[in-house]
Amino acid sequence: NIHRPIEGKIKSATISKNPAGKYFVSILCEVPKRTKVMTRKSVGIDLGITDFITFSDGQKVMNHNFHRKNKQKLANAQKHFSRKQKGSKRREKQRIKVARIHEKITNSRKDFQHKLSTQLVNDYDLIAVEYLTVKNMMKNHNLAFSIVDAGWVEFIRQLEYKSDWYGKKIIKID
C-alpha cells in the first residue's frame, strides 16, 4: 500500500517493524527544495497545558490529551498483560494489544502535530515560539504527565524543519 507517489532520485530504503508487529518501508529520495508563497504575516505562539497553543491574536487550539484519553484502556491492557505467564502465546497476544494502544496514541499525536505545523507554515512567514525548558518543567511531578502528553518538543521540531524546507522563519523566545 503506497502512502504517496515516489518523486525524485531514490537514495535508500529502510524496512522496519514496530512493536505491534507491523512492517514499514521508508524510502529516502533526493528532491529539490521547494518554497511556499510568502504571506507577509507573522504570529506569536504560546504553548500551554489546557490549550495546546494560544496565538498572539487570542485564537486557541485545544489540547487533545491523547494519552490521558486512552489511559484507562492502556492500564487495563497492561494489567492483563502482567498477569499472563511468561513465554505463553496469550502473553504475546496481550503484548501486541498493549503495543497497539501505544501506537494509536503516538499516531494520533503525530497526526495532530503534523497537520497543525503544516498549517502554521502555510499561513505565516514568521513564527515566534515560546522556548520552554521541558527538562526543568518535568521536575514538577504534578504537571509532568500533562507536559509529556502535549508533546511540545516534537511539535517545535516539526515547525523548525518545515519552516526550513519552505523558506519560512521561526524564532525561539525565552
Side-chain angles (χ1 to χ4, degrees):
N1 209 7
I2 296 177
H3 179 10
R4 61 180 152 224
I6 298 170
E7 56 184 72
K9 184 180 178 186
I10 297 174
K11 288 292 196 179
S12 68
T14 306
I15 299 171
S16 57
K17 181 182 176 187
N18 70 5
K22 295 178 184 173
Y23 288 92
F24 296 93
V25 177
S26 177
I27 300 171
L28 177 66
C29 297
E30 187 178 314
V31 293
K33 238 182 182 181
R34 291 180 244 154
T35 56
K36 293 270 183 187
V37 176
M38 293 297 179
T39 59
R40 298 185 184 268
K41 289 190 207 171
S42 61
V43 70
I45 293 174
D46 179 39
L47 301 169
I49 292 175
T50 51
D51 296 310
F52 185 70
I53 285 179
T54 304
F55 292 98
S56 53
D57 63 358
Q59 189 181 6
K60 294 180 180 184
V61 176
M62 69 177 255
N63 192 351
H64 291 283
N65 299 317
F66 296 107
H67 196 219
R68 194 175 299 275
K69 286 179 182 173
N70 290 292
K71 193 175 183 180
Q72 191 59 47
K73 187 190 263 188
L74 183 61
N76 288 340
Q78 287 174 328
K79 183 169 64 174
H80 289 296
F81 174 69
S82 71
R83 292 178 178 164
K84 304 289 186 227
Q85 186 177 354
K86 289 185 179 176
S88 68
K89 284 188 177 181
R90 288 185 183 226
R91 182 180 172 95
E92 182 58 22
K93 281 183 183 179
Q94 191 63 34
R95 185 196 63 77
I96 291 171
K97 284 182 184 177
V98 171
R100 282 191 181 142
I101 295 169
H102 279 294
E103 181 184 28
K104 181 181 179 187
I105 293 166
T106 304
N107 288 346
S108 300
R109 186 182 295 121
K110 279 187 178 178
D111 181 61
F112 166 71
Q113 291 172 343
H114 272 296
K115 287 177 180 174
L116 185 59
S117 60
T118 302
Q119 179 191 353
L120 286 170
V121 170
N122 287 340
D123 294 347
Y124 301 101
D125 292 341
L126 177 68
I127 303 167
V129 180
E130 176 187 20
Y131 183 72
L132 302 170
T133 51
V134 176
K135 189 176 182 181
N136 293 339
M137 293 174 74
M138 291 295 290
K139 292 175 184 173
N140 181 347
H141 298 292
N142 297 325
L143 296 175
F145 183 80
S146 297
I147 291 167
V148 170
D149 197 13
W152 297 329
V153 175
E154 175 63 16
F155 177 70
I156 291 172
R157 187 193 69 78
Q158 288 179 14
L159 263 180
E160 286 175 334
Y161 88 77
K162 288 178 184 180
S163 61
D164 184 44
W165 270 3
Y166 299 120
K168 304 293 178 113
K169 189 165 184 168
I170 187 165
I171 300 172
K172 291 183 181 178
I173 301 169
D174 282 341

